[in-house]
Amino acid sequence: DGGITQSPKYLFRKEGQNVTLSCEQNLNHDAMYWYRQDPGQGLRLIYYSQIVNDFQKGDIAEGYSVSREKKESFPLTVTSAQKNPTAFYLCASMQQGPGELFFGEGSRLTVL
Amino acid sequence: GQQLNQSPQSMFIQEGEDVSMNCTSSSIFNTWLWYKQEPGEGPVLLIALYKAGELTSNGRLTAQFGITRKDSFLNISASIPSDVGIYFCAGGTQGAQKLVFGQGTRLTINP
């Protein structure tokens, strides 16, 4: 089935550790996105990428890093510089803008 | 970043009632999208609108692209318990590679 796969679903991390969230899509979409969602809140854009080897900062990029080495993959690293990393992270992809954006099932990160 | 004004923020209704929610903006959009998110899951696309004035249905859901291109509404008829969740609107503009999202409408249904 075509779709977006995020892993892991749940992740626990100690303060000061970096953690990488995986996002893979087999929809052959050009653009991929990372959003952060806090309890009871909307979606905030962290980073996005329109093509391989290129990406742009979103509204809340500080403390995060990404790479886009392959069209189907867009991993997000939450670094120790992110002051409040506990959140629900959503990966999404789109064929071309402004079109239909499809989301993965999300990864919940908890910092202990 | 820019956000859409989505209202109401929350709704508490009885099963069987109709639901109406809307999104407004001071800017023009070329695309309006409506999503539903259930707890612990990613948002799922319900309806996509691409033309001003367009009215599109998906089962009990109906959405319209406002004629001014600055608003959109979503109606749910005869609500059922599985309609519970958070509904998000999103707008896209020509040439832009990212969508603008509303803050969401949380729907709660009393059986």
Side-chain angles (χ1 to χ4, degrees):
Chain A
D1 284 352
I4 301 170
T5 301
Q6 290 187 238
S7 64
K9 179 79 171 173
Y10 300 96
L11 187 60
F12 298 88
R13 175 195 111 175
K14 292 182 179 179
E15 278 193 29
Q17 290 181 335
N18 292 354
V19 62
T20 297
L21 307 180
S22 170
C23 179
E24 302 278 332
Q25 55 100 358
N26 60 5
L27 300 169
N28 199 32
H29 285 171
D30 293 317
M32 297 187 72
Y33 304 78
W34 275 104
Y35 292 88
R36 169 179 172 143
Q37 187 176 34
D38 293 287
Q41 301 298 311
L43 305 173
R44 292 188 290 171
L45 183 63
I46 304 172
Y47 267 100
Y48 63 105
S49 168
Q50 300 175 39
I51 57 173
V52 173
N53 293 323
D54 189 41
F55 48 82
Q56 289 78 40
K57 292 182 178 179
D59 301 317
I60 56 165
E62 185 176 351
Y64 300 98
S65 66
V66 293
S67 63
R68 187 85 187 275
E69 297 178 1
K70 299 184 297 183
K71 183 177 183 178
E72 59 269 25
S73 179
F74 191 41
L76 173 74
T77 297
V78 185
T79 75
S80 57
Q82 168 52 232
K83 298 189 185 312
N84 185 19
T86 294
F88 189 53
Y89 291 89
L90 288 160
C91 180
S93 71
M94 180 192 297
Q95 177 55 33
Q96 57 183 10
E100 298 173 12
L101 187 67
F102 295 92
F103 287 88
E105 294 190 344
S107 293
R108 184 168 300 281
L109 172 63
T110 302
V111 174
L112 305 173
Chain B
Q2 182 186 7
Q3 280 192 332
L4 300 173
N5 298 314
Q6 187 171 350
S7 65
Q9 289 187 347
S10 60
M11 302 182 74
F12 299 85
I13 64 169
Q14 296 293 121
E15 183 178 351
E17 289 184 11
D18 296 343
V19 171
S20 184
M21 61 191 78
N22 69 80
C23 269
T24 61
S25 171
S26 57
S27 304
I28 289 173
F29 288 98
N30 302 108
T31 305
W32 284 95
L33 306 167
W34 285 92
Y35 292 85
K36 177 189 177 186
Q37 184 180 28
E38 298 188 11
E41 302 293 330
V44 173
L45 181 63
L46 299 172
I47 293 178
L49 303 161
Y50 293 99
K51 290 176 59 176
E54 179 181 358
L55 184 71
T56 297
S57 294
N58 178 5
R60 293 177 296 105
L61 278 62
T62 301
Q64 184 160 26
F65 192 141
I67 196 71
T68 65
R69 295 164 62 190
K70 293 183 178 181
D71 61 355
S72 177
F73 72 76
L74 175 70
N75 286 346
I76 305 173
S77 64
S79 60
I80 59 177
S82 63
D83 290 333
V84 166
I86 303 175
Y87 291 80
F88 290 100
C89 63
T93 54
Q94 194 65 37
Q97 287 296 324
K98 51 183 179 175
L99 300 177
V100 179
F101 281 87
Q103 282 290 83
T105 295
R106 182 180 296 273
L107 179 62
T108 303
I109 299 176
N110 297 318

